């Protein structure tokens, strides 16, 4: 009898193990399936496009390349041949990854770092909060805290620096007009061939510019970023697309162009955006003087407002006077019936959330530990751009347009938020519970609405065949903040209007930058 | 019993469940209504223990309807349907509620022998859980569950001599990926997918105590380990695929009024002694059971 039972137990145990093991648990990241970049147009005239900051590419130093008959060049070719004679599967994976595009992958890396560093500091024992310090970036809390305004600015600087660096690269590419190594016998092309001259390398220019500007933006990540850059350089050689000399020249040029952006970044007022305790108090005083209820942090312990002086950062697409002129009129006054009505509407969304609304709230939350709303729009843009077979320089130009709009709209939105310094719905009525974390800054106007409308305006201009896709997404993103019970309807509606207006500045620039659509 | 960020531990310490050696006789059905109250103030971000003024006390109430039917004297069928509500006493996050995960188990007494003056039994318990509603899993810590479908296998050894017993069990829980409402998320890197890989989990428990026909009293220690996943970073939000581990200790009492049929009462509690990426919850639970005998009367 006992033996009998043991005889049954074995097959049962075996079948249970088979059952347990049969569950398929692969999570596929959609960015891993991108094909190698094969531009439908190499945009050979990109040296004539309008850059953002640089004025004359010829002021940068790019030494003339070695003659293709020189021993140095032959040695460079042999380095490629050595790689190609024994590629490992890891090396092939590096080729697959980077061949999707330099601008694309660096934008993803930046999003990754934004998400990694998007953590509000933990409080001190006395209930105050430490602030990240760029002079001592490794100490807790590490620098930066890449919250939405910080992130918007980071995306803008990286994209704009990449764009200008590529314009400069095109100048020298045409000047020196050297063909890529895969055109030479004995070197294989492991990626689609391009007719673009290969000195200096466009991939290296993008990497050089990114590494240099990231030293400023994410100083604790330099080792990681440099390792990524060195992988990318290796990819170009393994793929037969560049010799080492083209990479070295490209990285150097990229770094030189990025220095122009770094100099601007050091003096664009972002470093002062955190404000001082006196300035925080002054915001309350000014608001109370107008007879309005001023914003209070709903965090415990009470946290200083997020980057209250970010509205004073110098924008890319217009001047600081325009920031003021784009500022919308005031929100509904605290004691007005319209305000009470708005609060009541938020309460109904709080009390009776549908699952569909919850889904929208979570989809667009982009809060702590994420790449932020501008990062979300970069991801949305990536999924569309990748279908367009852009050249690297067009990728960079379109991301620069998008991200300059995102940074500038962050400036306008933060200017408005701290000009009116009004309360969140939950402060007006503590019964309003939220479906996502409540941001630690004033309500009017909604950041998501600003970011989304600006992004949708730029993307709709760049990709008119997508119809209302981006506008629809922007409206969803904006409304999700009302559904989540963290914004009033007017925050959302006015935010969408300002966002679209800022987006138009990027569109105007795009119409005249020489790149066509 | 919903332990803070966890749900898959649902019934680790309840009586006559998938985690003990108690079998129900053939053709007897035991229906149970159970209430569980779980709360925590402190939790662990990785190994960093803290409280949070934006959560206060996180309370989870679980109302379960459960059943246990003896297919044979050696094979039981069990199920449970929990309704869960959560609430954070501070901060602005809205508590959630809804039907959580249906659990179905088969408990098989595979082996029984006398050793010395006692009886030694070996049990195999297979269990599956499946979400009963489309609740939002990625809204921790107020989510009512993790929304993973699981299958698990537990081996249990029990030795009873007189009215005292000792038991040990090991369980392996295979969890399915979950789908969240975001289409990208950060773990230790950004992942562009709405699917989340849920690492598998093991549970080991040891229990000992007093068991008579009328009254049970036992103490239980349990260790749950997630084999993979990642830590909540300092001041970050929790995420369903965090590496959630915990050691709990608890007690369980059961009192039976009738002989085979009739009422039973059960009650108990437990506390998380140590954990990782979970709340340090304290649970109290109580249940009313009723046994129906569908077998022929002469068989008793």
């Amino acid at each position: 009898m006992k033996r009998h039972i043991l005889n049954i137990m074995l097959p049962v145990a075996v079948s249970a193990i088979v059952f347990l093991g049969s569950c398929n648990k692969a999570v596929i990241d959609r960015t891993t399936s991108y094909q190698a970049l094969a531009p439908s147009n190499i945009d050979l005239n990109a040296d004539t496009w309008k850059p953002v900051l640089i004025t004359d590419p010829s002021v940068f130093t790019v030494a003339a390349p070695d003659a293709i008959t020189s021993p140095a060049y032959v040695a460079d070719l042999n380095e490629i041949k050595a790689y190609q004679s024994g590629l490992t599967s890891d090396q092939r994976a590096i080729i697959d990854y980077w061949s999707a595009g330099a601008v694309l992958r660096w934008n993803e890396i930046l999003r990754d770092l934004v998400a990694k560093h998007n953590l509000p500091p933990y409080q001190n024992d006395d209930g105050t909060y430490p602030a990240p310090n760029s002079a001592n970036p490794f100490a807790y809390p590490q620098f930066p805290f890449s919250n939405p305004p910080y992130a918007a600015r980071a995306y803008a600087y990286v994209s704009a620096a990449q764009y200008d660096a590529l314009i400069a690269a095109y100048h020298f590419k045409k000047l020196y007009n050297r063909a890529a190594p895969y055109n030479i016998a004995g070197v294989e092309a492991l990626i689609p061939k391009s007719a673009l001259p290969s000195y200096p390398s466009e991939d290296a220019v993008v990497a050089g510019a990114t590494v240099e500007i990231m030293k400023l933006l994410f100083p604790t990540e330099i080792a990681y970023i440099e390792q990524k850059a060195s992988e990318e350089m290796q990819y170009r050689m393994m793929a037969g697309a560049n010799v080492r000399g083209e990479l070295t020249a490209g990285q150097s040029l990229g770094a030189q162009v990025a220095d122009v952006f770094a100099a601007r970044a050091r003096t664009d007022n972002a470093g002062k955006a955190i404000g001082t305790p006196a300035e925080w108090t002054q915001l309350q005083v000014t608001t109370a003087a107008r007879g309005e209820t001023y914003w209070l942090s709903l965090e415990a312990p009470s946290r200083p407002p997020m980057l209250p002086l970010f509205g004073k950062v110098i924008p890319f697409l217009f001047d600081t006077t325009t920031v003021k002129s784009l500022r919308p009129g005031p929100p509904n006054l605290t004691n007005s019936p319209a305000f009470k009505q708005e609060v009541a509407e938020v309460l109904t969304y709080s009390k009776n959330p549908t699952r569909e609304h919850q889904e929208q709230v979570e989809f667009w939350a982009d809060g702590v530990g994420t790449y932020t709303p501008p990062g979300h729009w970069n991801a949305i843009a990536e999924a569309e751009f990748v279908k367009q077979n852009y050249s690297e320089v067009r990728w960079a130009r379109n991301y620069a347009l998008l991200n300059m709009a995102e940074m500038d709209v962050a400036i306008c939105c933060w200017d408005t938020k701290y000009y009116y310094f009004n309360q969140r719905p939950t402060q007006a009525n503590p019964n309003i519970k939220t479906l996502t974390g409540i941001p630690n800054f004033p309500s009017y106007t909604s950041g998501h609405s600003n970011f989304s409308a600006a992004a949708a305006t730029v993307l709709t201009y760049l990709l008119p065949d997508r119809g209302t896709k981006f506008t629809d997404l922007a409206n969803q993103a904006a409304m999700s903040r009302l559904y989540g019970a963290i914004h009033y309807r007017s925050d959302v509606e006015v935010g969408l209007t300002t966002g679209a207006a800022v987006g138009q500045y990027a569109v105007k620039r795009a119409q005249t930058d020489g790149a066509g659509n | 019993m919903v332990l803070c960020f966890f749900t898959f531990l649902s019934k680790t310490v309840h009586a006559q469940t998938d985690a003990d050696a108690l079998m129900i006789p053939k053709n007897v059905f035991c229906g149970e209504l159970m209430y569980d109250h779980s709360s925590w103030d402190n939790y662990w971000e990785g190994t960093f223990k803290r409280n949070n003024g934006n959560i206060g006390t996180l309370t989870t109430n679980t109302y379960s309807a459960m059943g246990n039917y003896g297919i044979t004297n050696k094979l039981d069928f069990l199920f449970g349907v929990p309704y869960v509500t959560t609430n954070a006493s501070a901060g602005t996050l809205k508590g959630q509620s809804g039907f959580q995960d249906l659990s179905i188990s088969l408990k098989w007494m595979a082996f029984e022998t006398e050793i010395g003056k006692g009886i030694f039994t070996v049990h195999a318990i297979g269990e599956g859980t499946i979400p009963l509603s489309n609740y939002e899993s990625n809204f921790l810590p107020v989510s009512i569950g993790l929304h993973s479908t699981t299958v698990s296998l537990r081996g249990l050894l029990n030795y009873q001599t007189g009215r005292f017993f000792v038991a040990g069990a090991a369980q392996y829980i295979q969890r399915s990926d979950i789908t969240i409402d975001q289409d990208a998320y950060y773990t230790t890197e950004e992942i562009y997918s709405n699917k989340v890989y849920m690492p598998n989990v093991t549970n080991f428990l040891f229990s000992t105590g007093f068991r008579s026909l009328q009254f049970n009293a036992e103490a239980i220690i349990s260790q749950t380990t997630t084999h993979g996943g990642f830590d909540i970073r300092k001041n970050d939000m929790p995420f369903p695929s965090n590496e959630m581990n915990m050691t709990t200790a608890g007690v369980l009492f059961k009192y039976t009024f009738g002989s085979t049929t009739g009422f039973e009462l059960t009650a108990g509690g437990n506390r998380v002694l140590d954990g990782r990426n979970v709340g340090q919850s304290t649970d109290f639970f109580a249940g009313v059971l009723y046994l129906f005998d569908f077998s022929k009367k002469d068989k008793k």
Side-chain angles (χ1 to χ4, degrees):
Chain A
M1 181 61 188
K2 286 167 193 166
R3 189 141 305 201
H4 239 90
I5 288 166
L6 287 172
N7 285 345
I8 300 166
M9 239 176 116
L10 192 66
V12 169
V14 168
S15 51
I17 289 162
V18 169
F19 176 53
L20 289 172
S22 66
C23 299
N24 183 7
K25 295 183 63 157
V27 170
I28 305 206
D29 183 317
R30 60 185 173 274
T31 66
T32 58
S33 62
Y34 294 151
Q35 300 298 302
L37 185 63
S40 54
N41 177 350
I42 59 170
D43 289 315
L44 196 59
N45 72 337
D47 58 327
T48 66
W49 294 1
K50 183 180 159 192
V52 175
L53 286 186
I54 66 170
T55 45
D56 177 9
S58 65
V59 303
F60 300 107
T61 310
V62 178
D66 301 313
I68 56 167
T69 51
S70 69
Y73 189 75
V74 171
D76 278 357
L77 286 180
N78 285 336
E79 187 178 12
I80 294 177
K81 290 172 187 168
Y83 272 125
Q84 292 192 336
S85 67
L87 285 175
T88 66
S89 58
D90 284 352
Q91 288 174 324
R92 287 189 186 279
I94 288 172
I95 295 174
D96 285 344
Y97 171 81
W98 280 105
S99 63
V103 172
L104 180 162
R105 292 303 185 199
W106 279 110
N107 187 276
E108 287 176 355
I109 291 166
L110 175 55
R111 272 179 256 153
D112 200 276
L113 294 177
V114 166
K116 180 177 178 185
H117 290 271
N118 183 11
L119 292 174
Y122 181 71
Q123 65 264 25
N124 297 317
D125 289 340
D126 64 358
T128 62
Y129 288 93
N133 179 0
S134 60
N136 189 12
F138 284 91
Y140 187 84
Q142 280 198 0
F143 179 88
F145 165 24
S146 47
N147 51 38
Y150 188 93
R153 174 172 167 272
Y155 292 121
Y157 272 95
V158 170
S159 295
Q162 289 176 347
Y163 171 59
D164 277 17
L166 279 167
I167 289 178
Y170 268 62
H171 167 82
F172 290 104
K173 279 174 180 290
K174 285 165 87 170
L175 181 68
Y176 296 122
N177 199 27
R178 181 203 263 179
Y182 48 52
N183 296 303
I184 290 168
V187 175
E188 274 183 83
L190 300 184
I191 55 169
K193 284 189 179 184
S194 165
L196 196 62
S198 66
Y199 184 95
S201 155
E202 63 268 26
D203 279 67
V205 161
V206 172
T210 310
V211 170
E212 193 64 19
I213 196 77
M214 292 290 270
K215 287 178 183 170
L216 198 68
L217 296 169
F218 288 91
T220 62
E221 300 289 351
I222 292 169
Y224 170 72
I225 293 162
E226 285 183 340
Q227 178 237 324
K228 283 288 184 190
S230 109
E231 240 180 38
E232 188 190 2
M233 299 308 98
Q234 203 192 9
Y235 139 68
R236 292 300 287 179
M237 291 188 281
M238 293 187 299
N242 283 120
V243 293
R244 184 173 288 278
E246 294 161 359
L247 299 169
T248 312
Q251 284 183 291
S252 162
L253 175 60
Q256 292 174 61
V257 173
D259 282 341
V260 178
F261 284 81
R264 181 193 196 274
R266 285 191 185 89
T267 55
D268 72 356
N269 294 333
K272 294 183 279 191
I274 196 166
T276 63
E279 285 165 325
W280 306 336
T281 309
Q282 188 55 42
L283 290 165
Q284 300 181 347
V285 172
T286 311
T287 311
R290 287 201 307 265
E292 291 298 290
T293 302
Y294 56 77
W295 175 86
L296 288 172
S297 172
L298 294 172
E299 286 195 42
S302 176
R303 187 186 289 275
M306 182 186 288
L307 301 185
L309 274 60
F310 195 84
K312 306 215 181 303
V313 172
I314 299 164
F316 270 113
L317 299 169
F318 39 78
D319 58 24
T320 49
T321 328
T322 309
V323 174
K324 287 196 182 70
S325 68
L326 283 166
R327 184 192 299 150
N332 288 318
L333 302 180
T334 309
N335 292 316
S336 66
F339 179 71
K340 293 191 172 68
Q341 209 175 334
E342 280 201 310
V343 175
E345 185 188 17
V346 178
L347 183 63
T348 61
Y349 282 113
S350 166
K351 290 274 186 205
N352 307 302
T354 64
R355 187 64 186 87
E356 289 69 31
H357 283 179
Q358 282 184 310
E359 185 183 332
Q360 291 292 307
V361 170
E362 183 184 324
F363 183 83
W364 293 107
D366 299 322
V368 165
T370 72
Y371 48 35
T372 76
H376 199 157
W377 281 100
N378 274 261
I380 290 168
E382 173 182 298
E384 300 298 332
F385 290 173
V386 87
K387 297 174 195 159
Q388 301 301 114
N389 300 316
Y390 287 150
S391 63
E392 289 285 2
V393 70
R394 191 167 291 277
W395 265 94
R397 177 252 188 183
N398 289 352
Y399 261 142
L401 289 168
L402 171 67
N403 287 321
M404 289 192 293
E406 294 291 271
M407 169 170 155
D408 289 4
V409 86
I411 295 167
C412 291
C413 178
W414 254 244
D415 167 77
T416 303
K417 280 180 182 293
Y418 288 94
Y419 185 77
Y420 296 113
F421 204 59
N422 74 326
Q423 58 186 331
R424 290 270 171 181
T426 302
Q427 187 185 335
N429 182 351
N431 291 327
I432 294 174
K433 294 289 179 183
T434 63
L435 305 187
T436 186
I438 197 158
N440 194 56
F441 40 80
S443 203
Y444 183 82
T445 57
S446 146
H448 277 58
S449 307
N450 278 275
F451 285 127
S452 299
T457 302
V458 175
L459 294 177
T460 303
Y461 171 75
L462 295 173
L463 301 165
D465 62 335
R466 306 301 202 271
T468 61
K469 176 176 187 171
F470 304 118
T471 312
D472 294 344
L473 288 172
N475 290 337
Q476 277 178 25
M479 283 304 287
S480 77
R481 308 307 272 176
L482 175 58
Y483 301 152
I486 61 172
H487 271 293
Y488 313 103
R489 186 177 287 273
S490 59
D491 297 342
V492 167
E493 289 173 354
V494 180
L496 284 170
T497 306
T498 309
V502 171
Q504 280 303 327
Y505 282 86
V507 170
K508 264 180 244 156
R509 188 193 149 83
Q511 284 163 340
T512 56
D513 67 4
N517 192 24
Chain B
M1 166 184 76
V2 178
L3 283 164
C4 56
F5 304 160
F6 279 82
T7 61
F8 51 76
L9 283 181
S10 285
K11 285 147 301 294
T12 47
V13 296
H14 289 176
Q16 200 177 282
T17 65
D18 56 346
D20 64 34
L22 299 172
M23 300 300 292
I24 198 161
K26 184 178 179 181
N27 291 340
V28 173
F29 175 76
C30 172
E32 179 177 7
L33 294 173
M34 173 80 80
Y35 167 71
D36 183 286
H37 176 92
S38 167
S39 65
W40 53 261
D41 302 314
N42 293 313
Y43 64 103
W44 287 272
E45 287 171 342
T47 55
F48 175 61
K49 189 177 178 182
R50 62 170 292 185
N51 59 14
N52 192 325
N54 305 300
I55 296 172
T57 302
L58 199 286
T59 304
T60 304
N61 287 311
T62 305
Y63 309 87
S64 301
M66 297 189 273
N68 183 358
Y69 180 73
I71 299 169
T72 71
N73 285 333
K74 293 178 191 279
L75 186 65
D76 292 356
F77 169 81
L78 301 87
F79 68 88
V81 176
Y83 183 86
V84 178
T85 69
T86 63
N87 180 64
S89 68
T92 72
L93 293 181
K94 184 180 171 69
Q96 304 289 297
S97 61
F99 283 100
Q100 194 213 43
D101 304 334
L102 168 71
S103 66
I104 289 174
S105 312
L106 277 176
K107 178 155 95 173
W108 179 39
M109 186 167 79
F111 182 71
E112 183 177 23
T113 190
E114 286 181 26
I115 297 180
K117 289 179 179 171
I119 295 172
F120 174 72
T121 54
V122 176
H123 304 255
I125 301 125
E127 183 171 27
T129 70
I130 188 163
L132 285 168
S133 66
N134 183 27
Y135 61 83
E136 187 180 13
S137 59
N138 185 22
F139 191 24
L140 295 169
V142 290
S143 293
I144 62 166
L146 302 178
H147 217 266
S148 183
T149 297
T150 73
V151 288
S152 69
L153 193 59
R154 171 177 264 151
L156 187 149
L157 308 176
N158 190 81
Y159 182 70
Q160 176 139 4
T161 176
R163 286 172 175 173
F164 293 91
F165 80 97
V166 290
Q171 183 185 25
Y172 187 81
I173 306 164
Q174 171 102 14
R175 302 194 294 176
S176 71
D177 297 344
I178 61 169
T179 303
I180 59 173
D181 297 332
Q182 291 173 217
D183 69 348
Y185 55 93
Y186 189 83
T187 56
T188 53
E189 59 181 340
E190 192 70 29
I191 295 170
Y192 291 88
S193 174
N194 61 351
K195 298 273 190 289
V196 178
Y197 168 77
M198 297 291 279
N200 295 332
V201 172
T202 54
N203 173 259
F204 295 92
L205 70 82
F206 175 80
S207 64
T208 185
F210 175 93
R211 265 181 200 155
S212 71
L213 285 175
Q214 249 192 342
F215 182 67
N216 292 0
E218 54 191 89
I220 301 146
I221 286 181
S222 158
Q223 171 64 43
T224 302
T225 308
T226 301
H227 297 276
F230 65 102
D231 284 336
I232 306 170
R233 294 169 298 159
K234 202 165 184 174
N235 231 23
D236 197 1
M237 299 296 281
F239 192 74
S241 65
N242 285 138
E243 181 188 351
M244 299 181 189
N245 300 336
M246 63 181 156
T247 309
T248 65
V251 292
L252 170 70
F253 304 98
K254 190 167 85 165
Y255 185 80
T256 307
F257 293 96
S259 51
T260 308
T261 61
F263 277 109
E264 290 184 350
L265 295 177
T266 181
N270 62 75
R271 176 162 172 83
V272 174
L273 303 177
D274 192 20
R276 188 180 188 109
N277 306 306
V278 297
Q280 185 168 28
S281 60
T282 304
D283 272 56
F284 298 101
F285 58 87
V288 180
L289 298 78
Y290 194 88
L291 282 93
F292 304 86
D293 190 350
F294 295 106
S295 60
K296 287 172 192 163
K297 289 299 164 195
D298 59 303
K299 209 179 161 192
K300 201 197 170 220

